Amino acid sequence: MTQQTPAPVQVRPSHQVEPGGRPTLTFTARRRGKPPRHLADLTTAERSEVAKELGLPAFRADQLSRHYFAHLTRDPADMTDLPAAARDQLTATLVPELVTKVRDMTADRGATVKSLWRLYDGAMVESVLMRYTNRTTLCVSSQAGCGMACPFCATGQQGLTRNLSTAEIVEQVRLAAKASRDGELAGGPTHLRNVVFMGMGEPLANYRAVVGAVRRMVDPAPAGLGLSARNVTVSTVGLVPAIDKLAKEGLPVTLAVSLHAPDDELRDELIPINSRWKVGELLDAARRYFEATGRRVSIEYALIKDMNDHAWRAQLLADELNARGRGWVHVNPIPLNPTPGSIWTASERDVEQTFVDTLRNAGIPTTVRDTRGSDIDGACGQLAAEVLVEKKVPAKEQQQG
């Protein structure tokens, strides 16, 4: 599909690495194939036109859309209000299979399910469905791999394979909503309430598809799934022009900024995109987002032992946020979920507490993120990497034999 680039950035191809073996920052996908057309990619008017092209009344597309978005099914057998002769034709044309489950892993006594999905071209993405006391949340992927090259992130180390389409993102949400409704999480049936774009990929580097997916999520049936925009969170490592563009979309979603360091010297090392848009520019854009939408911004901060967890950095972060006003931001420190063999590890508990106390004492609302699925390689990208390794090992053994 056509790559959406928020602003010119000098980058190298995603398959290249620096001399030390570290992936490089990129917006250029390895694959550019286009997924099959799906009704979630289309407006209601466009869906009606497809029905007419098939020789069917326009309202048949509306009926199909209600089955998909309201009843959460793409199975023709469930669509008894459609003429039998039209069901297979409509479903094959407008709700083709976009994702196939490869593997599920469960944690938290069944309250967390991490799923690996294979896309039409063999690319793989992950999603995580999490049941809490008062809500059920899906962490969704927007890209296969990621081009942001953050060294502590499993997905970032894979490089960018390709962007997902709007429908490929929405299909992850539909399947999670169906699993929740059908009682596939511990505790019985529940209702999917929250969606966070914190899975694989940089959402704002796939701007058009992500905004399209958000609109499908929040539009009422038959146009979409009917979720509340206020229960959708879009994260970014700091694509400033795209943040400003999102602020003008009229979608009151929560913006989450993956900051991870309050000073440019460290953030340049941790978050390569910081070489283009510095901490001050990013926080100014986040403040503008709050002013435009009235939605409090979340600052995501992965606490990495002896790297970014110093009390003085907590104070610097508080000073930077307070310099832009009060009441516009909330900080989520996140105990790092380390990847296998990584030099990066989570902060000690007492260091984490000091960091949190420093922020709170400065008047910054702060909540330590409840990390789920640490016993199932909860950080996105780890399960996909594991399966890729499994696929390579037999071939290698066969060659040796």
Side-chain angles (χ1 to χ4, degrees):
M1 64 186 299
T2 302
Q3 182 73 30
Q4 300 298 316
T5 305
V9 180
Q10 296 299 316
V11 297
R12 287 170 281 179
S14 62
H15 62 274
Q16 293 186 1
V17 295
E18 295 176 352
R22 174 173 169 173
T24 59
L25 177 68
T26 184
F27 289 94
T28 305
R30 299 174 191 167
R31 304 182 193 173
R32 290 182 174 271
K34 194 171 184 179
R37 178 180 60 178
H38 190 281
L39 66 82
D41 294 313
L42 307 175
T43 64
T44 51
E46 290 169 337
R47 298 170 204 169
S48 296
E49 286 302 314
V50 173
K52 291 178 183 178
E53 291 170 5
L54 297 175
L56 299 170
F59 73 86
R60 296 301 186 194
D62 180 90
Q63 288 177 299
L64 179 65
S65 296
R66 288 187 185 277
H67 282 293
Y68 182 80
F69 287 114
H71 303 300
L72 307 176
T73 184
R74 52 177 295 276
D75 185 349
D78 297 329
M79 305 176 187
T80 54
D81 58 337
L82 288 169
R87 290 179 206 167
D88 290 338
Q89 185 181 27
L90 263 178
T91 54
T93 303
L94 279 174
V95 286
E97 186 173 49
L98 295 179
V99 304
T100 304
K101 185 172 289 186
V102 176
R103 180 180 299 176
D104 275 344
M105 298 183 74
T106 61
D108 307 308
R109 298 182 179 180
T112 299
V113 177
K114 183 174 187 176
S115 299
L116 179 66
W117 307 97
R118 181 176 289 109
L119 308 180
Y120 83 100
D121 58 355
M124 289 190 287
V125 297
E126 299 172 22
S127 64
V128 186
L129 185 59
M130 299 161 283
R131 183 173 191 156
Y132 297 89
T133 303
N134 59 350
R135 69 189 187 282
T136 299
T137 298
L138 175 70
C139 182
V140 68
S141 292
S142 56
Q143 295 179 313
C146 183
M148 297 296 101
C150 301
F152 57 89
C153 172
T155 306
Q157 297 310 292
Q158 296 176 18
L160 175 62
T161 298
R162 70 170 174 87
N163 284 335
L164 269 60
S165 67
T166 288
E168 287 174 320
I169 298 170
V170 172
E171 180 68 348
Q172 294 174 68
V173 182
R174 180 193 71 88
L175 288 166
K178 184 176 184 297
S180 300
R181 182 200 65 189
D182 294 347
E184 295 182 19
L185 290 173
T190 182
H191 179 70
L192 180 65
R193 180 170 174 258
N194 297 75
V195 176
V196 296
F197 282 85
M198 295 181 181
M200 299 175 73
E202 162 55 49
L204 295 188
N206 187 17
Y207 186 90
R208 183 177 178 181
V210 165
V211 169
V214 172
R215 293 195 186 282
R216 296 294 177 271
M217 290 178 205
V218 304
D219 285 344
L225 289 163
L227 299 175
S228 169
R230 295 178 178 273
N231 292 336
V232 176
T233 297
V234 176
S235 67
T236 180
V237 293
L239 279 65
V240 166
I243 293 173
D244 288 330
K245 188 176 180 181
L246 183 64
K248 300 174 183 176
E249 292 286 354
L251 292 167
V253 299
T254 297
L255 175 70
V257 173
S258 297
L259 190 66
H260 308 313
D263 54 308
D264 287 323
E265 182 179 7
L266 178 58
R267 197 167 195 268
D268 283 347
E269 180 180 347
L270 294 179
I271 312 291
I273 199 68
N274 203 69
S275 62
R276 178 62 179 85
W277 295 290
K278 297 300 186 182
V279 170
E281 296 174 273
L282 175 54
L283 293 181
D284 286 345
R287 173 69 196 196
R288 290 193 296 271
Y289 185 87
F290 166 76
E291 291 171 349
T293 64
R295 299 290 294 156
R296 189 170 65 165
V297 174
S298 291
I299 300 294
E300 310 295 305
Y301 197 105
L303 287 169
I304 308 172
K305 183 178 180 180
D306 299 330
M307 178 64 71
N308 66 349
D309 58 356
H310 312 92
W312 70 264
R313 280 198 161 93
Q315 187 60 57
L316 177 58
L317 174 58
D319 293 343
E320 288 285 352
L321 298 178
N322 283 332
R324 291 165 174 80
R326 301 273 182 157
W328 69 278
V329 71
H330 182 277
V331 176
N332 287 320
I334 309 166
L336 183 72
N337 195 344
T339 59
S342 173
I343 63 171
W344 316 93
T345 189
S347 301
E348 301 291 345
R349 286 295 181 91
D350 60 332
V351 174
E352 174 188 300
Q353 191 60 53
T354 298
F355 194 94
V356 170
D357 290 343
T358 301
L359 289 169
R360 288 175 176 167
N361 290 338
I364 304 293
T366 303
T367 306
V368 177
R369 173 82 65 80
D370 177 11
T371 55
R372 287 292 191 97
S374 59
D375 55 334
I376 53 168
D377 294 338
C380 277
Q382 291 179 235
L383 184 53
E386 177 185 321
V387 170
L388 288 173
V389 168
E390 289 175 356
K391 289 174 67 178
K392 291 177 181 177
V393 168
K396 184 177 180 181
E397 291 175 347
Q398 186 176 9
Q399 290 173 1
Q400 290 175 342

